[in-house]
Amino acid sequence: MDIFSDLLLGAATAFQPVNLLYGFIGCLLGTAIGVLPGLGPTATIAMLLPITFGLQPESALIMLAGIFYGAQYGGSTTAILINLPGESSSVVTAIDGYQMARNGRAGAALATAALGSFFAGTVATLLLAVAAPPLAAVALKFGPAEYFSLMILGLVASVALASGSLLKAFAMIIFGLLLGSVGTDVESGMQRYIFGIPELYDGLNFVAVSMGIFGICEILRNLENEHERSVGVKKVTGLMLTRDDFRRIRGPVLRGTALGSFLGVLPGGGAMLSSFAAYALEKRISPNRAEFGKGAIEAVAAPESANNAGAQTSFIPMLTLGIPGNPVMALMVGAMIIQGITPGPNVISEEPELFWGMIVSMWSGNLMLVVLNLPLIGLWVRMLAIPYHLLFPAIIGFCCIGAYSINNSAFDIFIMAGFSAVGFALSKLHFEPAPLLLGFILGPMLEENLRRAMLISQGDPTIFVRSPLSLLLLGVAVVVLGLVLAPSISRKRDEAFTE
Amino acid sequence: MLKIRNGRDFVGGAAMIAVSLMFIGFGRELDIGNSFQMGPGYFPVMLSLLLIGIGVLIMVQSLVVAVRDEPDAPANWKAYILVILAPVLFGLALSHLGLAPTMFLMVGAVSCASRYAGWRHSIALALFMAISSVVLFTRLLSLPVSAFGPWIPFLGN
């Protein structure tokens, strides 16, 4: 099997009319929610998960992936035009992108963002196609001890790269792991924390939990600082880039793509971190750094390439190891489980159509986004005129009915409402909800592998350091932790997140 | 005399300890086992103990380290209560009233959480949501809910 026949197989799946259609819907929805501030990809994917139950697994995952990377495109549009980043990953784009728009170069900024994103998306997709199979082959050799160590590494790294206090992030992971232990214990069949409620036999439903923690909770936060939005956008002209522009963005796009591809693979990484890092890098090494902050085209090209590359490569750990690196990937893992697919290294060999179809669809989706975004820019800008007080009741309505449709029972609506209160209280206490969701998803797998490993070693915990692979993974986790605790780095980390 | 320098973290740490104690308390029937053959209670209890440790650390930190804290946005209790309780009422009423009236009432009620909502807009939006959710979910996606429930005379079934 060489990569070309694999990609051909993927193309056969991705270019089926129905999958093209769902890919298109995903990109369209993704762009829309990217444009709308206050509605992010995590909340949207959580909200739409119940609707995907009835679809083919390929169509469902292609659509959900489209929402995720479509949001990166849409977020940059509003960042550039009205200095209002629709997504956290386009916060840095707003700095110079908006200045470019004020100088009458909005078209050039938008074109730079779109072309940079497309280039980065293409490279990152190829990288995914090349890197995923060997990685999965290594992971197939993993025993319970190695899996346990891998998940520990994933959790530690996601803490290291999250913002805010480390202790609190660890607390959230453990809280999430505890919530994951609700339900029937796989090994003994004992019921844990069920309180006699039959709906809890399979555990807390993660769609309902994430809709509460990300969807509804976000609305509560937005309603606290509600502003009337008034949008005045000039007509966008001049989408063509000059020869000089191309010369200036070549380097930043390449560097942004490389940096984003690398950071996206790391657990907890992904789009936001990539764009911040790429901006910081360009600010240091660009020959035009004096222009930064006043409308430098490099400062748009680099973060936009990086966030798209990072969004794309963050699929690698999810597809090859079954380990989600960020909340969106956690939802994708959930979507696979709902479709009856066990995420992990077996996906490539057991579901080749799904795996390669998804990869090819990411490339075709990126192409659709370029075509979709540049001519339709006027439509997206007009969407901004939808006031938030009409938007959020509709979101709550769809969340309610989505939660109901998980099991056709009102119980999941109550779970959703309960967790919106929990999530809101936690955010008031400055606890981040993202590590909680990762812990919640990984909890059952972590416990199962821990118990199996300890059973194999007859209760000897040194099994985790006797296997060289497991030792290596734990060693990396310790190094990552050490790096974050080192004072100089933690100061840098604070700067990066407050900037 | 100890002084709480970071009230938010003090409460946060205490909340984590409370959560762990709840998991230990409700799980006291579960067999813990030993590290060789772990019972169903092993994992949750160990995690809870770990979380108590972290909670204590967060509380200790809140006594030692002072922070410059930006003030919170003013609490908007009306919005909290509406947005959290409206879905609960939606769940309770759905099987009795049916999708259309429940959605109408829920969207109408939840709109009041915004200080910019006007009643004309809210009613129009509620109607729109009621009709489109019936079309989308009972007709196109054939969810097992009826548009009108048994509590609605004439229309309900």
Side-chain angles (χ1 to χ4, degrees):
Chain A
M1 281 273 250
D2 59 323
I3 191 160
F4 287 104
S5 61
D6 288 332
L7 286 175
L8 270 178
L9 177 74
T13 313
F15 294 148
Q16 277 169 20
V18 56
N19 288 338
L20 277 178
L21 176 72
Y22 280 111
F24 180 74
I25 295 176
C27 290
L28 205 63
L29 272 173
T31 312
I33 58 146
V35 168
L36 292 169
L39 185 57
T42 318
T44 314
I45 292 179
M47 207 157 80
L48 290 178
L49 268 179
I51 297 180
T52 65
F53 293 172
L55 301 179
Q56 289 290 313
E58 294 86 29
S59 312
L61 288 169
I62 284 174
M63 182 173 96
L64 295 177
I67 295 175
F68 179 49
Y69 52 76
Q72 316 303 330
Y73 273 76
S76 57
T77 305
T78 48
I80 290 170
L81 291 180
I82 55 170
N83 199 15
L84 194 66
E87 292 309 316
S88 52
S89 58
S90 38
V91 170
V92 284
T93 311
I95 305 172
D96 281 79
Y98 182 60
Q99 292 305 322
M100 281 182 76
R102 285 184 55 181
N103 301 341
R105 301 212 60 211
L110 288 169
T112 304
L115 295 176
S117 296
F118 177 66
F119 175 78
T122 309
V123 172
T125 304
L126 270 176
L127 191 71
L128 177 56
V130 174
L135 211 64
V138 173
L140 276 176
K141 298 200 180 78
F142 279 20
E146 285 81 12
Y147 252 109
F148 176 81
S149 304
L150 177 67
M151 276 184 259
I152 293 292
L153 170 61
L155 289 173
V156 166
S158 77
V159 165
L161 299 169
S163 62
S165 146
L166 274 183
L167 267 176
K168 288 174 144 182
F170 271 117
M172 281 299 93
I173 287 189
I174 296 176
F175 191 8
L177 291 170
L178 279 170
L179 291 173
S181 70
V182 173
T184 309
D185 173 33
V186 192
E187 311 266 315
S188 65
M190 282 278 285
Q191 289 160 4
R192 296 192 291 199
Y193 309 111
I194 298 227
F195 307 107
I197 303 168
E199 280 91 343
L200 281 178
Y201 286 171
D202 291 336
L204 291 162
N205 185 286
F206 95 101
V207 180
V209 170
S210 42
M211 271 200 279
I213 286 188
F214 289 98
I216 310 274
C217 183
E218 193 68 41
I219 292 175
L220 286 166
R221 271 200 297 259
N222 288 336
L223 283 176
E224 281 195 324
N225 321 300
E226 211 186 351
H227 305 294
E228 199 79 83
R229 282 206 295 264
S230 57
V231 183
V233 188
K234 279 179 276 177
K235 211 165 156 38
V236 180
T237 50
L239 285 173
M240 290 306 289
L241 293 179
T242 63
R243 189 181 294 262
D244 183 47
D245 288 336
F246 273 115
R247 190 183 54 72
R248 282 180 60 175
I249 66 172
R250 204 187 306 139
V253 165
L254 285 173
R255 283 188 290 272
T257 304
L259 196 61
S261 303
F262 172 68
L263 289 175
V265 183
L266 300 181
M272 188 182 93
L273 185 76
S274 307
S275 63
F276 277 92
Y279 183 80
L281 177 73
E282 286 306 316
K283 207 174 171 182
R284 191 153 301 173
I285 65 167
S286 171
N288 297 323
R289 58 176 165 264
E291 270 183 58
F292 272 47
K294 303 188 197 89
I297 197 165
E298 291 90 345
V300 175
E304 280 305 305
S305 313
N307 72 20
N308 215 41
Q312 224 79 275
T313 53
S314 64
F315 280 88
I316 292 180
M318 191 277 279
L319 283 171
T320 55
L321 310 172
I323 306 279
N326 56 43
V328 173
M329 290 304 127
L331 290 172
M332 298 286 281
V333 166
M336 284 184 154
I337 294 172
I338 288 166
Q339 295 280 1
I341 299 164
T342 315
N346 287 318
V347 171
I348 299 182
S349 51
E350 283 171 15
E351 307 273 348
E353 286 93 3
L354 173 86
F355 178 80
W356 294 104
M358 239 176 107
I359 288 190
V360 175
S361 86
M362 285 183 195
W363 183 78
S364 66
N366 270 296
L367 188 64
M368 278 187 221
L369 282 165
V370 174
V371 178
L372 201 68
N373 267 281
L374 295 180
L376 290 182
I377 211 88
L379 175 77
W380 301 125
V381 173
R382 213 163 315 140
M383 268 190 58
L384 278 170
I386 301 175
Y388 194 67
H389 65 83
L390 292 183
L391 201 59
F392 82 87
I395 299 173
I396 296 177
F398 282 122
C399 280
C400 284
I401 203 163
Y404 176 83
S405 67
I406 299 166
N407 288 315
N408 295 321
S409 108
F411 183 76
D412 286 315
I413 306 183
F414 304 147
I415 292 286
M416 177 188 83
F419 273 92
S420 66
V422 170
F424 188 62
L426 288 174
S427 83
K428 279 274 157 196
L429 296 171
H430 288 198
F431 285 95
E432 290 240 344
L436 185 146
L437 191 70
L438 290 187
F440 177 62
I441 299 274
L442 289 179
M445 284 193 270
L446 190 71
E447 179 180 11
E448 201 187 322
N449 284 300
L450 172 66
R451 283 163 83 167
R452 287 199 348 227
M454 293 303 265
L455 208 59
I456 292 171
S457 73
Q458 305 194 327
D460 177 9
T462 60
I463 184 171
F464 298 111
V465 287
R466 268 187 289 124
S467 141
L469 210 49
S470 164
L471 181 65
L472 178 74
L473 290 165
L474 286 179
V476 175
V478 170
V479 170
V480 169
L481 201 60
L483 282 177
V484 183
L485 291 174
S488 64
I489 298 210
S490 68
R491 221 178 305 124
K492 282 249 167 59
R493 183 167 152 266
D494 288 342
E495 278 169 27
F497 282 107
T498 48
E499 206 172 276
Chain B
M1 186 60 199
L2 277 174
K3 201 164 129 277
I4 298 173
R5 289 167 209 263
N6 184 342
R8 192 200 315 270
D9 277 10
F10 190 80
V11 176
M16 289 304 118
I17 295 172
V19 165
S20 342
L21 291 177
M22 260 167 57
F23 270 93
I24 292 179
F26 288 120
R28 62 181 181 278
E29 312 268 287
L30 297 170
D31 177 29
I32 291 181
N34 54 43
S35 61
F36 175 22
Q37 284 189 317
M38 297 179 190
Y42 190 93
F43 195 63
V45 168
M46 290 301 146
L47 286 175
S48 301
L49 294 176
L50 204 57
L51 190 54
I52 290 180
I54 294 181
V56 169
L57 282 178
I58 294 176
M59 283 175 84
V60 168
Q61 205 178 34
S62 78
L63 299 174
V64 180
V65 186
V67 282
R68 273 179 298 123
D69 218 355
E70 71 271 38
D72 263 333
N76 184 351
W77 286 104
K78 191 176 101 183
Y80 304 158
I81 291 170
L82 277 170
V83 171
I84 293 172
L85 282 190
V88 175
L89 295 175
F90 180 95
L92 292 174
L94 187 62
S95 58
H96 305 294
L97 290 176
L99 183 56
T102 317
M103 184 60 90
F104 180 83
L105 291 175
M106 207 265 312
V107 170
V110 111
S111 308
C112 304
S114 165
R115 54 183 85 104
Y116 298 106
W119 63 272
R120 277 198 200 88
H121 272 161
S122 301
I123 288 181
L125 178 70
L127 262 180
F128 170 76
M129 282 299 291
I131 295 169
S132 57
S133 61
V134 166
V135 171
L136 191 62
F137 292 99
T138 65
R139 297 282 178 275
L140 295 179
L141 295 169
S142 49
L143 221 65
V145 272
S146 46
F148 294 95
W151 284 8
I152 305 287
F154 308 120
L155 289 169
N157 54 16

